[in-house]
Amino acid sequence: MQTILTDFYTLESYEKAENGSFIAHISLNKNHDIFKGHFPGNPVTPGVCMMQIVKELTEEFIGKKLFLKSASNVKFMAIIDPFETPDLTLQLDINEGEEEIKVKNTTSFGETIALKMSVNYKK
């Protein structure tokens, strides 16, 4: 699948849990140009990039191109600094319906939860 976040992150590994959830391990590229502007001298991973990563991983796992329909309960709970915490774990609970895919995501580094959100995608 093609990604719009070229070289922004690497999918290191993933597994499908018994309950159908996916657990993905990614590493952020701390040298990516996005971090030079967001913010100079104090890099922070943009929330919109994290939302795009969830979309791209969901597309990868189900093998379908998706379009964001809605997002709710989007909670950024910790700053993701690509120099301090580049290695992230994303849990994706994917519920595939006829025309819609619902995903609940929890993104963390270590014991810290950085992002929680629920999104609906159109196929």
Side-chain angles (χ1 to χ4, degrees):
M1 286 245 163
Q2 189 173 4
T3 168
I4 65 169
L5 292 175
T6 307
D7 298 328
F8 186 72
Y9 69 98
T10 303
L11 176 59
E12 300 292 347
S13 66
Y14 71 90
E15 60 265 4
K16 188 172 185 177
E18 286 184 24
N19 66 0
S21 296
F22 286 88
I23 307 292
H25 302 280
I26 68 167
S27 291
L28 299 174
N29 174 4
K30 66 184 180 194
N31 297 314
H32 197 279
D33 284 345
I34 285 174
F35 295 118
K36 292 175 185 159
H38 197 271
F39 297 96
N42 188 21
V44 174
T45 304
V48 69
C49 292
M50 289 307 305
M51 292 179 75
Q52 181 65 24
I53 290 169
V54 169
K55 177 181 174 284
E56 290 178 4
L57 291 175
T58 302
E59 289 176 333
E60 176 77 22
F61 297 152
I62 68 167
K64 295 183 175 123
K65 188 84 176 134
L66 302 172
F67 302 92
L68 180 64
K69 182 178 177 186
S70 65
S72 60
N73 300 320
V74 179
K75 295 183 176 121
F76 295 98
M77 302 163 79
I79 290 172
I80 301 172
D81 179 328
F83 286 86
E84 299 289 323
T85 54
D87 299 319
L88 305 175
T89 300
L90 290 85
Q91 178 175 334
L92 303 171
D93 299 328
I94 302 171
N95 190 331
E96 193 168 352
E98 281 286 315
E99 301 192 11
E100 198 171 81
I101 308 263
K102 295 181 182 197
V103 179
K104 285 187 180 176
N105 165 252
T106 303
T107 299
S108 57
F109 52 85
E111 298 297 312
T112 302
I113 295 175
L115 167 63
K116 285 181 130 182
M117 70 174 181
S118 298
V119 288
N120 293 328
Y121 300 109
K122 286 191 321 184
K123 295 181 188 180

